[in-house]
């Protein structure tokens, strides 16, 4: 048991969790929406501190992050639980476990051990991924502090539904914010994730970049008949351009049937390419197709002169046209982070 950091004690031993935007009001001996914060006798505890469901060394491109330390290896950690309950979740076994036996029997990896392992495996950073890192908040905060002090970069692969208080607490220690934008209207989030106030995800993402200088990349998993209409795709692309900047990467990825959406077809390639055209029409410079190995969009080219900057084949990357974060040919400054702010970026 590890006491939660962001919560409020209320009368009658009730607690109010302030870790994510649900702000769950939790009665004694009950759990929050995420199923990993529990009120025990009027105090709120994290049930999954240090409990790992997944540990791996990944290429950073797998997150996917294409403009953040390209070609580097990242130590990837996942736990249990989620504050979303998505119908088509690919990691539902760990995000929505049907039993706590696996959680309590899973491997415990303390923050010091995680950082040491990242170094041992020659990783340049640590990513909190596979399940929603916000519901692992106390652990990710402790890890991120140690990682930054050890010269490692830090990454959240997130649905963006964390509270402002949580964002501002971990902000000084988090370098990249890879966020899912699942749609651009309430009905889509309600159908897919049981979320109503989805606009808060946008403001949190904007704050991650503007207030804390995090590197931001956006992923939209395009699902037929849910979020593949031009209105939503235009809304997402326009928001990225106006609020995050035209150089912010947008990954539009192919959906594959999973969990409760086994009867929903995979995304046609034409739909993904339509999203690319919509994004370009709104002024975005970098749009990548995901889950389509070998597609020409995998290569990063300079938006000014067309020079190939990073060639990719799957998760393999070859940096071929960069001088630090500038195009080798025309010297245009690009939104590609290859060094930390402390190193003079």
């Amino acid at each position: 048991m590890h006491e939660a950091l962001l919560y409020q004690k209320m009368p009658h031993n009730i607690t109010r969790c302030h870790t994510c935007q649900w702000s769950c009001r939790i009665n004694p001996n009950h759990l929050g929406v995420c199923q990993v914060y529990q009120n025990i006798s009027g105090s709120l505890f994290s049930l999954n501190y240090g409990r790992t469901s997944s540990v791996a060394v990944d290429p950073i491109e797998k997150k996917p992050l294409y403009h953040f330390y390209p070609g580097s290896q990242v130590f990837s950690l996942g736990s249990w639980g989620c504050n979303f309950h998505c119908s088509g979740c690919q990691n539902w076994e760990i995000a929505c476990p049907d039993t706590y036996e696996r959680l309590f029997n899973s491997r415990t990896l303390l923050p010091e051990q995680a950082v040491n392992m990242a170094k041992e495996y020659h990783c340049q950073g640590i990513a909190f991924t596979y399940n929603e890192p916000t519901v692992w908040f106390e652990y990710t905060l402790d890890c991120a502090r140690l990682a930054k002090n050890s010269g490692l970069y830090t990454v959240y692969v997130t649905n963006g539904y964390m509270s402002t208080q949580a964002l501002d607490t971990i902000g000084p220690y988090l370098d990249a914010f890879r966020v899912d934008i699942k749609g651009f209207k309430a009905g889509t989030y309600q159908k897919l994730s049981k979320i109503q106030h989805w606009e808060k995800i946008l403001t949190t993402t904007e704050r991650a970049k503007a207030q804390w200088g995090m590197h931001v990349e956006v992923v939209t998993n395009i699902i037929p008949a849910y979020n593949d209409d031009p209105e939503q795709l235009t809304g997402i692309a326009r928001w990225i351009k106006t609020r995050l900047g035209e150089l912010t990467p947008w990954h539009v990825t192919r959906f594959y049937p999973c969990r409760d959406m086994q009867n929903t077809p995979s995304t046609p390639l034409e739909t993904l390419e339509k999203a690319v055209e919509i994004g370009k029409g709104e002024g975005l410079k970098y749009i990548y197709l995901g889950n389509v190995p070998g597609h020409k969009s995998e290569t990063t080219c300079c938006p000014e002169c067309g020079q190939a900057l990073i060639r990719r084949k799957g998760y393999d990357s070859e940096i071929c046209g960069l001088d630090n974060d500038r195009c080798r040919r025309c010297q245009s400054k690009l939104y590609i982070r290859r060094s930390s702010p402390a190193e003079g970026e």
Side-chain angles (χ1 to χ4, degrees):
M1 294 294 181
H2 192 94
E3 188 171 7
L5 180 64
L6 306 176
Y7 79 100
Q8 170 188 0
K9 293 186 176 183
M10 303 173 69
H12 310 296
N13 281 342
I14 295 170
T15 60
R16 173 80 71 182
C17 182
H18 295 300
T19 307
C20 87
Q21 294 176 18
W22 278 108
S23 296
C24 290
R25 183 180 183 274
I26 307 173
N27 289 326
N29 302 317
H30 284 68
L31 299 163
V33 168
C34 65
Q35 299 293 293
V36 288
Y37 281 107
Q38 184 175 16
N39 180 338
I40 300 176
S41 302
S43 295
L44 191 64
F45 287 88
S46 165
L47 302 182
N48 63 352
Y49 188 94
R51 300 282 187 173
T52 57
S53 64
S54 311
V55 179
V57 175
D58 289 326
I60 193 65
E61 288 78 10
K62 191 176 181 180
K63 298 304 104 185
L65 281 165
Y66 276 15
H67 290 201
F68 183 82
Y69 289 83
S72 68
Q73 298 290 299
V74 62
F75 192 63
S76 298
L77 295 171
S79 185
W80 306 87
C82 190
N83 51 0
F84 280 16
H85 300 291
C86 298
S87 305
C89 179
Q90 296 180 357
N91 291 331
W92 60 271
E93 294 96 336
I94 65 173
C96 307
D98 54 3
T99 173
Y100 282 94
E101 182 178 355
R102 285 185 295 169
L103 186 158
F104 290 122
N105 290 333
S106 60
R107 177 182 182 180
T108 297
L109 196 65
L110 296 178
E112 296 84 356
Q113 294 173 302
V115 170
N116 288 337
M117 287 181 70
K119 292 180 175 181
E120 178 184 348
Y121 287 103
H122 306 292
C123 296
Q124 288 183 253
I126 291 180
F128 306 103
T129 179
Y130 304 129
N131 74 309
E132 173 52 44
T134 301
V135 304
W136 208 19
F137 184 74
E138 292 75 16
Y139 179 80
T140 63
L141 176 63
D142 290 346
C143 271
R145 282 174 172 154
L146 287 176
K148 292 292 287 182
N149 289 337
S150 300
L152 301 173
Y153 65 67
T154 54
V155 176
Y156 250 35
V157 177
T158 178
N159 59 34
Y161 209 61
M162 64 197 308
S163 68
T164 300
Q165 188 176 356
L167 177 68
D168 289 349
T169 301
I170 201 170
Y173 313 104
L174 201 58
D175 294 310
F177 196 82
R178 212 291 284 135
V179 65
D180 291 308
I181 301 298
K182 299 178 182 294
F184 216 70
K185 61 184 181 183
T188 300
Y189 268 91
Q190 180 64 40
K191 285 192 294 184
L192 290 175
S193 310
K194 312 299 186 289
I195 296 295
Q196 293 181 339
H197 304 295
W198 66 279
E199 296 94 340
K200 294 179 179 179
I201 297 168
L202 307 183
T203 57
T204 297
T205 303
E206 293 165 18
R207 185 174 180 84
K209 181 172 184 178
Q211 179 69 25
W212 295 109
M214 295 182 201
H215 177 92
V216 175
E217 298 194 25
V218 177
V219 169
T220 301
N221 192 28
I222 299 183
I223 306 174
Y226 283 84
N227 61 0
D228 61 346
D229 55 283
E231 180 184 359
Q232 290 193 81
L233 296 175
T234 299
I236 295 170
R238 188 170 296 167
W239 168 74
I240 295 172
K241 165 72 178 339
T242 57
R243 305 301 295 178
L244 302 177
E246 63 181 9
L247 298 180
T248 303
W250 185 28
H251 303 262
V252 292
T253 62
R254 170 175 274 170
F255 166 82
Y256 286 106
C258 195
R259 203 189 179 194
D260 297 331
M261 298 180 69
Q262 298 286 348
N263 295 325
T264 302
S266 298
T267 317
L269 180 59
E270 313 87 78
T271 301
L272 298 173
E273 292 179 336
K274 177 186 72 175
V276 171
E277 292 306 312
I278 288 173
K280 288 181 177 178
E282 291 298 322
L284 295 181
K285 302 299 184 183
Y286 297 112
I287 309 167
Y288 300 104
L289 267 63
N291 298 332
V292 188
H295 194 274
K296 62 181 180 180
S297 72
E298 288 183 323
T299 295
T300 298
C301 295
C302 176
E304 298 299 324
C305 71
Q307 166 75 25
L309 305 172
I310 307 170
R311 291 192 178 96
R312 299 182 184 86
K313 187 174 182 180
Y315 298 134
D316 294 328
S317 297
E318 176 195 359
I319 298 172
C320 53
L322 287 174
D323 283 333
N324 196 13
D325 63 344
R326 292 183 180 272
C327 172
R328 186 174 297 164
R329 177 188 291 172
C330 71
Q331 289 299 300
S332 294
K333 189 171 176 62
L334 308 163
Y335 186 66
I336 298 176
R337 181 175 289 188
R338 299 181 67 191
S339 61
S340 70
E343 294 171 311
E345 184 177 331

